[in-house]
Each structure stands twice: as C-alpha cells, then as structure tokens.
C-alpha cells in the first residue's frame, strides 16, 4: 500500500507568518502534485514536480521535490487570509503503480487569520 | 485550460432511490476519469477509475453494484448511486486526464449528495 504522510493536519496562523507543509512517503513517485481546495469545491492544481531536487515557485508558494522523489514540501511566505484552504499532496506512479493514478495525502487544513 | 464540470452540484434524495451524477470534460477528450469521495475536512478517497468504452476499475472496498459507473464517451462519465442510504451522503468529485501518460488530473467542482 502506497502511503503519503502529510503534516501538519491542521494549521492556524496569523497573517504575515510563514509556514511549511510536508509530504513524506517510503515510496518513490514519478511525480508529485499539490492541490488547494476550498469548501464545497473541487481541488485546483497548484503545481506538478517531476524531477528529484526540483524547486518550483508560484508567487509566495515554494514547492520542493526531494532528491529521492519520496517527499515534498510546500512553503508559503507571508501568508494571507486568501491562502486559507485544504492543501493536498498527491503522488503518481508510486511503487510501480500507474503514472496517472494518484495517491493522496490526508491534507493540511490551513487557516490564516487576519 | 482543462475544464471539468459536474452535474448536479448538489442533490437531496430519499433513502432507497437512485441518483445519477454526471462528469464532463468541456474542452478536451478524457480517456480516463476518476471518481472520488470526500468526507468533511478529509482528503479524497479514490472510488474507481473509469476508462472510455470499458468497465470501470473499482478500488478495494467499493461496491461496484452500488456505485455504477458508465464512461460512454470521451467527454462524459456518470456515477449512479443505487438504492442510496444516509451513509452514502458525501461529496463526490470526479477528475479527468487528457491521455494515459498525463500525470495531471483536472477536477470537477464536486457534487454534494444528501440522502434523507
């Protein structure tokens, strides 16, 4: 069974603070995707990382894929209330699985207070 | 872009009835679609993989006779919850990929099902 351990599960911070969300696994993934989901809506793709050691930036969000392609992190700088939501990491192609079937982490529910 | 729609966005039905949820890829052809279930403040749980023109592949523990999936065209997959019960109440989300080699899934907005 492929597992993605995501932490923390809940995070409540003040506007302007920085935060990091972690996604770890014992499996090697072909790629890892990060999604953000708001209540009552479907997840929206933020980024896909494919290469070990890869770093991608999306405005105040920085995504990193571990060298061994088993873990990833999402760092948000100077969080804003608009960043509030459920952040999900999902790995594709782990443990010989198909490249298009995703294994989701349990999610991190982020609340940024004004 | 890659837009996926779902219909209805919410539905309330009585226990024992069946409900059909549609998932459409609006601006691309989807060879594969996925159906997920999500409980409040929890992650997505994959129910089944739907391939156009073939039978769906269900995840372990998902009753295929209860959750009927049909992928009749490259832009439409349907999920029918048969003989619904209150415990089937949940948020159902579909996703679609353009080709079997794509890593990226595009998600629909979800359907809130409430069974009374």
């Amino acid at each position: 069974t492929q597992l993605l351990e995501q932490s923390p599960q809940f995070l409540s911070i003040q506007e302007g603070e920085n935060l990091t969300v972690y996604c770890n696994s014992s499996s090697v993934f072909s790629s890892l995707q990060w999604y953000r989901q708001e209540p009552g809506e479907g997840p929206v793709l933020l980024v896909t990382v494919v290469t070990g050691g890869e770093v991608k930036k999306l405005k105040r969000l920085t995504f990193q894929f571990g060298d061994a392609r088993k873990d990833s992190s999402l760092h948000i700088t100077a969080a804003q209330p608009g960043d509030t939501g459920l952040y999900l990491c999902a790995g594709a192609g782990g443990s010989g699985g198909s490249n298009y079937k995703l294994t989701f982490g349990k999610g991190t529910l982020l609340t940024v207070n004004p | 872009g890659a837009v996926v729609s779902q219909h209805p966005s919410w539905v309330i039905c009585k226990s024992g009835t069946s409900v059909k949820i549609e998932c459409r890829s609006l601006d691309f052809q989807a060879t594969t679609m996925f159906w997920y279930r999500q409980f409040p403040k929890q992650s997505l749980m994959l129910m089944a993989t739907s391939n156009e023109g073939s039978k769906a592949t269900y995840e372990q523990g998902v009753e295929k006779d209860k959750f009927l999936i049909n992928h009749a065209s490259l832009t439409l997959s349907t999920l029918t919850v048969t003989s619904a019960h209150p415990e089937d109440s949940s948020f159902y989300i579909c996703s679609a990929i353009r080709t079997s080699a794509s890593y990226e899934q595009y998600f629909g907005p979800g359907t809130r099902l409430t069974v009374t």
Side-chain angles (χ1 to χ4, degrees):
Chain A
T1 303
Q2 307 162 37
L3 288 175
L4 265 177
E5 299 290 338
Q6 193 171 338
S7 63
Q9 195 171 350
F10 300 96
L11 188 56
S12 180
I13 61 172
Q14 293 299 121
E15 182 176 0
E17 292 183 358
N18 302 331
L19 67 113
T20 302
V21 177
Y22 300 94
C23 195
N24 299 297
S25 176
S26 58
S27 299
V28 176
F29 290 98
S30 301
S31 70
L32 198 137
Q33 299 168 36
W34 285 92
Y35 293 86
R36 177 169 167 267
Q37 184 182 23
E38 297 197 28
E41 299 181 11
V44 175
L45 179 66
L46 296 175
V47 78
T48 300
V49 285
V50 179
T51 307
E54 183 176 6
V55 177
K56 282 191 175 180
K57 291 192 174 183
L58 185 65
K59 296 183 180 179
R60 294 177 292 100
L61 278 60
T62 302
F63 305 86
Q64 187 164 8
F65 202 13
D67 291 340
R69 305 209 315 273
K70 292 182 179 181
D71 53 86
S72 181
S73 64
L74 157 61
H75 183 79
I76 300 179
T77 304
Q80 299 177 1
D83 295 328
T84 294
L86 179 67
Y87 289 82
L88 297 160
C89 65
S95 297
S98 66
N99 284 338
Y100 57 84
K101 189 173 175 180
L102 295 178
T103 299
F104 276 89
K106 288 191 174 182
T108 296
L109 189 59
L110 171 65
T111 303
V112 182
N113 302 298
Chain B
V3 181
V4 177
S5 70
Q6 277 183 246
H7 178 79
S9 56
W10 60 270
V11 57
I12 301 173
C13 70
K14 291 187 175 180
S15 188
T17 62
S18 295
V19 175
K20 180 184 284 188
I21 302 171
E22 293 184 350
C23 177
R24 293 181 185 273
S25 55
L26 299 184
D27 53 358
F28 66 100
Q29 292 185 329
T31 54
T32 302
M33 290 183 170
F34 301 88
W35 285 96
Y36 294 86
R37 186 172 178 177
Q38 186 178 32
F39 291 104
K41 298 184 179 180
Q42 294 187 25
S43 189
L44 280 69
M45 182 189 77
L46 179 64
M47 298 175 66
T49 302
S50 169
N51 292 298
E52 186 267 338
S54 63
K55 290 183 179 180
T57 302
Y58 291 82
E59 295 299 300
Q60 193 172 7
V62 178
E63 299 176 58
K64 61 180 181 180
D65 294 331
K66 181 168 186 60
F67 299 99
L68 300 178
I69 292 173
N70 183 273
H71 195 155
S73 76
L74 287 172
T75 59
L76 173 64
S77 175
T78 60
L79 167 68
T80 301
V81 182
T82 63
S83 187
H85 288 95
E87 57 265 31
D88 298 325
S89 298
S90 190
F91 194 51
Y92 292 88
I93 307 175
C94 71
S95 70
I97 58 174
R98 295 175 187 262
T99 69
S100 60
S102 171
Y103 300 151
E104 297 179 348
Q105 292 185 22
Y106 299 92
F107 285 83
T111 296
R112 170 73 58 194
L113 170 64
T114 302
V115 184
T116 61

